[in-house]
């Protein structure tokens, strides 16, 4: 179902470094500033923003769906 899959083992630095998100963008051939990434942790959101991507906090989406 996925064009590319990446894990923390594929990059030298972990979140909040942007490495995993930059690697994902590279693998799918999309510039980071054209990406939207979804996360459920503060470290992940920091990493997304550091990568220059639009960040979506899925925790907020879950709160909205429960209302």
């Amino acid at each position: 179902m996925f064009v590319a899959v990446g894990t923390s083992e594929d990059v030298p630095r972990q979140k909040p470094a942007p490495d995993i998100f930059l690697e994902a963008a590279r693998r799918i051939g999309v510039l980071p500033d054209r990406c939207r990434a979804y996360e459920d942790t503060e470290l992940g959101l920091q990493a997304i923003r550091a990568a220059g991507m639009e960040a979506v906090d899925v925790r907020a989406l879950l709160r909205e769906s429960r209302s």
Side-chain angles (χ1 to χ4, degrees):
M1 292 185 69
F2 298 100
V3 174
V5 176
T7 71
S8 60
E9 296 175 1
D10 297 323
V11 294
R13 298 180 301 159
Q14 307 308 308
K15 300 172 189 173
D19 300 28
I20 190 69
F21 294 102
L22 294 171
E23 178 62 16
R26 185 193 69 74
R27 288 183 182 194
I28 63 173
V30 178
L31 293 173
D33 67 350
R34 303 293 296 162
C35 292
R36 176 181 298 141
Y38 296 80
E39 247 301 331
D40 63 349
T41 68
E42 287 303 319
L43 287 179
L45 292 166
Q46 289 174 30
I48 293 167
R49 291 184 189 109
M53 298 177 178
E54 180 182 348
V56 178
D57 186 342
V58 298
R59 298 170 298 180
L61 299 174
L62 291 173
R63 285 190 295 271
E64 290 174 14
S65 70
R66 292 178 186 149
S67 302

